[in-house]
């Protein structure tokens, strides 16, 4: 199974999220982080990710007669690069987006199901903004967002830090107005 196929499953994507940030976790610890997923399902998907080379075994120890493995995410393998993304047919993007949304919904529901979940206090946000951007402005915006994320993505876990999931989603919501189409431009500017 290639990286795209491995990541096209909500449980596997949640496992990848849980191991992000150079974390090393056992399958039991992953089960605790995904309480809405059966243990058998977590074990099966951890095995698939390990067999596919996205997870590596960091160490092993005997626990009550069984071997318990600690897994680490191989970040360089858990990325869908621009070439792979460009090779996905347009129709398949529906499936990719659906998996991303299903994963996000499962992660958010797991958060809300935790005792003491407090969206306002935790600064939870799910705003959407519409903006008009030229290709150069869009490229600059993506670069600025990437720079902001990269500066913090390697933060180590600590008692002062909470692990947050951020999911930027960006797509054109409509076609640009035709050049010289003043009626169209006026409707856009007035919001009607």
């Amino acid at each position: 199974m290639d990286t795209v196929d491995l990541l096209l499953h909500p449980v596997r994507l949640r496992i990848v999220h849980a191991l992000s940030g150079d974390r090393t976790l056992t399958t039991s610890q992953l089960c605790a982080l995904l309480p809405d997923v059966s243990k058998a399902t977590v074990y099966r998907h951890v095995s698939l990710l390990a067999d596919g080379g996205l997870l590596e075994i960091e160490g092993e120890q005997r626990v009550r007669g069984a071997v318990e493995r600690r897994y680490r995410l191989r970040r360089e393998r858990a990325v869908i690069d621009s070439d792979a993304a460009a090779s996905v047919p347009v129709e398949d993007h529906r499936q990719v987006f659906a998996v991303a949304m299903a994963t996000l919904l499962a992660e958010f529901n797991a958060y809300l199901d935790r005792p003491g979940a407090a969206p306002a206090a935790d600064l939870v946000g799910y705003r959407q903004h519409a903006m008009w951007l030229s290709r150069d402005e869009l490229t600059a915006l993506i670069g600025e967002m990437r720079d902001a994320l990269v500066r913090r993505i390697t933060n180590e876990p600590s008692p002062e830090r909470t692990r947050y999931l951020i999911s930027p989603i960006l797509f054109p919501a409509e076609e640009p107005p035709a050049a010289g189409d003043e009626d169209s431009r006026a409707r856009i500017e007035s919001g009607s």
Side-chain angles (χ1 to χ4, degrees):
M1 213 181 286
D2 68 8
T3 300
V4 174
D5 290 333
L6 282 168
L7 294 176
L8 273 181
H9 192 282
V11 172
R12 290 193 293 267
L13 199 50
R14 289 179 68 194
I15 291 167
V16 167
H17 290 165
L19 286 163
S20 294
D22 289 328
R23 294 174 88 186
T24 301
L25 299 171
T26 65
T27 309
S28 295
Q29 290 170 317
L30 286 166
C31 287
L33 291 171
L34 283 71
D36 55 315
V37 180
S38 75
K39 289 181 181 184
T41 299
V42 172
Y43 275 84
R44 184 174 70 252
H45 289 293
V46 165
S47 178
L48 285 169
L49 289 167
D51 291 346
L54 272 69
L55 302 183
E56 64 185 355
I57 298 171
E58 182 70 20
E60 298 179 339
Q61 67 183 26
R62 280 222 168 286
V63 176
R64 293 182 295 280
V67 176
E68 183 177 65
R69 293 184 175 104
R70 290 182 311 283
Y71 293 93
R72 178 181 301 280
L73 178 66
R74 294 181 59 199
R75 271 189 50 195
E76 75 282 358
R77 292 279 321 213
V79 173
I80 299 172
D81 62 23
S82 56
D83 290 339
S87 71
V88 175
V90 170
E91 265 313 301
D92 290 354
H93 277 274
R94 290 183 206 284
Q95 179 187 0
V96 173
F97 191 76
V99 168
M101 292 301 95
T103 302
L104 188 58
L105 185 58
E107 294 271 15
F108 191 66
N109 284 331
Y111 160 73
L112 290 176
D113 291 342
R114 285 195 326 238
D122 291 337
L123 302 177
V124 170
Y126 36 84
R127 292 184 180 102
Q128 295 179 0
H129 304 279
M131 57 186 75
W132 292 93
L133 301 167
S134 69
R135 184 68 177 197
D136 289 342
E137 292 166 332
L138 175 61
T139 301
L141 176 65
I142 291 169
E144 292 161 8
M145 290 170 50
R146 185 175 292 132
D147 290 345
L149 295 173
V150 166
R151 281 195 303 274
R152 290 170 180 84
I153 206 161
T154 57
N155 285 356
E156 298 287 327
S158 73
E160 301 83 37
R161 290 186 173 134
T162 299
R163 188 172 64 92
Y164 280 81
L165 180 62
I166 184 165
S167 298
I169 299 167
L170 179 70
F171 59 90
E174 63 183 84
E175 294 291 325
D181 184 354
E182 296 304 319
D183 291 337
S184 175
R185 183 165 285 121
R187 282 194 307 275
I188 290 167
E189 289 172 359
S190 69
S192 57

